[in-house]
Amino acid sequence: MSKMLSIAAATLAFTATSALADGHCAAGKTLTEGKFTVATGNPAYYPWVMDDAPESGQGFEAAVAYAVAEEMGFAADDVVWARSSFDEAIQPGAKNFDVNIQQYSITPERDQVVDFSAPYYTAPMAVLVSANAVDTPPTLEALKGLQWGAVGSTTAVPKLASVIQPDADPLLYGDNADVNAAMTANQIDAALFDLPTALFLSAVMIEGSKVIGQFPADQGDNPDQFGMLMEEGNPLKSCVDAAIAALTESGKLAEIEAKWLQDTTGVPLIK
């Protein structure tokens, strides 16, 4: 009798688990059933991911990924990390991840070939200058006279053209590493980065450089917002959006931002 009761109890537990899985928003929508596969950069940098170890949950984007996963009902052990280059992930086609989180600005052009979640961060743009230009005052008038550099495919280019309007055409590069090298060599005076990245580059990567000012995050009609990138038409998008909305409403997202991006304070606004 006890054996039959045990079998019945096990059957009931299995049925309950199956019913829970069937009612889960993400059921049947992830790359691997029961797992949430998140991609990030290779390598991934501070303050987005600490020590290039996203599985630690340390760093702003690593913490956001785990918070979204938890809100959707995934345990931390069910989060699987993958790596991709920035440009590889924004190409059309099938993906080897459910979401990719590595500071992707949501733009209409990109949204034509991939899907984005609701924004998880609105990033102020900051001005990073080389050692030769650290005395530049944080004013638009002073910024016009600098030699600028930028990655040609990023939102920094239209920002330069519409807001700063430099006297000389900016020098365009293939990626941020080339911009950093040009600034280190004093071939350019200044570049635009999101504020956390600018602070990191100044502190760690580009000797003698300085973050001299920032633009308000809400300046203009189209502030730079980061979203989780997904394959076009991914049915998981509604689940991710709902999770981000819940984290925003509860204040959890703001707590994560305050914890990991608190070093971004103290940089003056550009006037």
Side-chain angles (χ1 to χ4, degrees), residues 216-241:
D218 58 354
Q219 184 184 72
D221 297 328
N222 297 297
D224 203 19
Q225 295 183 310
F226 296 172
M228 290 183 166
L229 182 148
M230 290 167 271
E231 183 177 327
E232 177 73 10
N234 191 333
L236 192 63
K237 173 176 164 54
S238 60
C239 303
V240 176
D241 286 350

Side-chain angles (χ1 to χ4, degrees), residues 127-214:
V127 176
L128 179 69
V129 297
S130 68
N132 287 344
V134 294
D135 293 329
T136 304
T139 66
L140 284 173
E141 188 61 33
L143 296 180
K144 291 179 187 296
L146 300 179
Q147 177 60 66
W148 289 83
V151 177
S153 61
T154 67
T155 54
V157 177
K159 182 84 171 182
L160 282 171
S162 63
V163 177
I164 297 174
Q165 300 177 356
D167 297 334
D169 291 338
L171 302 180
L172 302 182
Y173 299 89
D175 56 33
N176 280 332
D178 291 339
V179 174
N180 299 345
M183 184 171 290
T184 299
N186 290 311
Q187 295 170 353
I188 59 174
D189 299 317
L192 285 175
F193 295 95
D194 61 83
L195 183 54
T197 297
L199 289 168
F200 167 72
L201 292 173
S202 177
V204 178
M205 300 293 290
I206 305 177
E207 185 175 356
S209 64
K210 182 181 179 181
V211 184
I212 63 169
Q214 65 173 304

